[in-house]
């Protein structure tokens, strides 16, 4: 919660305890207590995404990375840096390293390009990814460096695991009678619980109960309000 200045501007820092995989929706409340949503749901994905490649003999490779929307950053075989992916930096000290400050959900294409050097030494290279500063993935190790100008391709998918739609109890991206049946089975027949449980909430009031089932039925079949947008 924050208060605007005289111009209606504000800055809101999302606390780390909100979770690194979630979605957030901004709302505004006037002096009379009326609340209105003024933004879409925004995904929160662990950041940054750091891609590192290095050859074991000397710097014989260059990296080029293309994001899910086809923006790119990297160097070609001649070492020329090109960039349309502006939320990224390319650092070359000992290793080729690309840091993407705000990764997007989807598939990243990673290109390992052999440098165009006349006296190329045959060697091997390593490629690794670190996300959120804690999770590390080794894409390949001890792999032969590509010939000058040739490219090896790798693909890495960034997924936002905790995204959910309120009322979509079975997590199939739809709200329909199957969610009603799912919740009835969960609450009254010992069926599997929604994951996370808040996905079964229609009114965003804990816990999941008959009121959520009624809310979804009213929404789908009686013109009632849509399920709430949870802000976790």
């Amino acid at each position: 919660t924050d208060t605007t200045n005289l111009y209606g501007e504000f800055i809101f820092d999302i606390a780390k305890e909100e979770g690194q995989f979630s979605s957030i929706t901004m709302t505004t409340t006037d002096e009379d207590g009326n609340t209105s949503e003024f933004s879409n749901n925004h995904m929160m994905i662990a950041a940054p995404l750091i891609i590192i490649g290095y050859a074991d003999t000397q710097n014989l490779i260059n990296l080029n990375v293309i994001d899910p929307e086809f923006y790119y950053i990297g160097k070609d075989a001649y070492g020329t840096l090109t960039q349309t992916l502006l939320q990224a930096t390319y650092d070359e000290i000992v290793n080729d390293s690309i840091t993407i400050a705000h990764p997007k959900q989807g598939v990243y294409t990673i290109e390992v390009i052999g440098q165009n050097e006349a006296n190329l030494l045959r060697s091997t290279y390593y490629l690794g990814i670190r996300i959120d500063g804690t999770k590390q993935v080794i894409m390949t190790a001890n792999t032969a460096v590509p010939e000058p100008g040739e490219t090896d391709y790798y693909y890495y998918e960034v997924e936002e695991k905790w995204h959910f739609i309120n009322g979509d109890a079975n997590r199939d991206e739809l709200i329909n009678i199957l969610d009603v049946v799912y919740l009835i089975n969960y609450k009254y027949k010992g069926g599997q619980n929604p994951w996370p449980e808040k996905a079964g909430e229609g009114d965003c009031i804990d816990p999941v109960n008959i009121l959520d089932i009624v809310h979804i039925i009213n929404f789908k079949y009686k013109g009632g309000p849509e399920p709430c947008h949870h802000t976790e």
Side-chain angles (χ1 to χ4, degrees):
T1 302
D2 208 340
T3 304
T4 67
N5 61 21
L6 294 177
Y7 302 100
E9 302 168 335
F10 70 95
I11 297 175
F12 179 69
D13 291 329
I14 302 170
K16 292 182 179 179
E17 53 265 29
E18 288 291 336
Q20 59 187 5
F21 293 102
S22 58
S23 63
I24 185 169
T25 301
M26 304 298 293
T27 62
T28 181
T29 304
D30 64 19
E31 294 179 351
D32 297 324
N34 300 308
T35 299
S36 176
E37 178 182 314
F38 72 94
S39 78
N40 295 324
N41 287 343
H42 292 281
M43 291 182 294
M44 298 166 59
I45 297 176
L49 175 65
I50 303 173
I51 301 167
I52 302 173
Y54 61 94
D56 60 358
T57 301
Q58 55 180 291
N59 294 330
L60 299 179
I61 59 171
N62 283 324
L63 294 184
N64 188 70
V65 173
I66 305 169
D67 79 359
E69 296 180 4
F70 303 105
Y71 292 99
Y72 56 85
I73 179 174
K75 293 182 179 179
D76 60 19
Y78 298 94
T80 302
L81 176 66
T82 55
Q83 179 175 9
T84 61
L85 177 54
L86 298 180
Q87 294 289 347
T89 59
Y90 191 108
D91 298 316
E92 186 176 24
I93 303 173
V94 176
N95 305 332
D96 294 275
S97 176
I98 293 176
T99 299
I100 300 170
H102 304 293
K104 304 169 184 175
Q105 181 168 281
V107 176
Y108 281 78
T109 300
I110 305 167
E111 300 176 346
V112 178
I113 304 170
Q115 286 194 31
N116 196 358
E117 296 182 356
N119 298 318
L120 179 66
L121 300 175
R122 296 305 295 161
S123 186
T124 60
Y125 71 89
Y126 303 77
L127 180 68
I129 292 177
R130 183 177 294 275
I131 189 166
D132 186 37
T134 59
K135 300 175 178 63
Q136 181 172 299
V137 176
I138 304 299
M139 301 293 288
T140 190
N142 295 314
T143 302
V145 169
E147 295 287 346
E150 293 187 355
T151 302
D152 291 344
Y153 295 90
Y154 299 89
Y155 303 93
Y156 182 80
E157 183 172 7
V158 174
E159 226 175 23
E160 198 260 339
K161 291 292 187 181
W162 284 91
H163 177 66
F164 62 90
I165 301 172
N166 285 98
D168 180 20
N170 64 357
R171 298 289 293 278
D172 64 356
E173 302 295 327
L174 299 172
I175 300 176
N176 53 31
I177 191 63
L178 296 179
D179 298 296
V180 174
V181 173
Y182 192 102
L183 289 176
I184 291 174
N185 286 334
Y186 162 55
K187 290 302 298 182
Y188 304 108
K189 297 184 179 182
Q192 187 174 1
N193 62 298
W195 183 86
E197 185 161 330
K198 292 182 184 298
E201 292 181 2
D203 55 12
C204 276
I205 301 175
D206 295 330
V208 174
N209 54 31
I210 188 65
L211 296 179
D212 297 294
I213 298 173
V214 171
H215 191 110
I216 296 171
I217 292 173
N218 285 336
F219 164 61
K220 287 301 297 182
Y221 305 106
K222 298 184 179 181
E226 65 179 301
C228 62
H229 297 294
H230 210 285
T231 57
E232 282 196 349

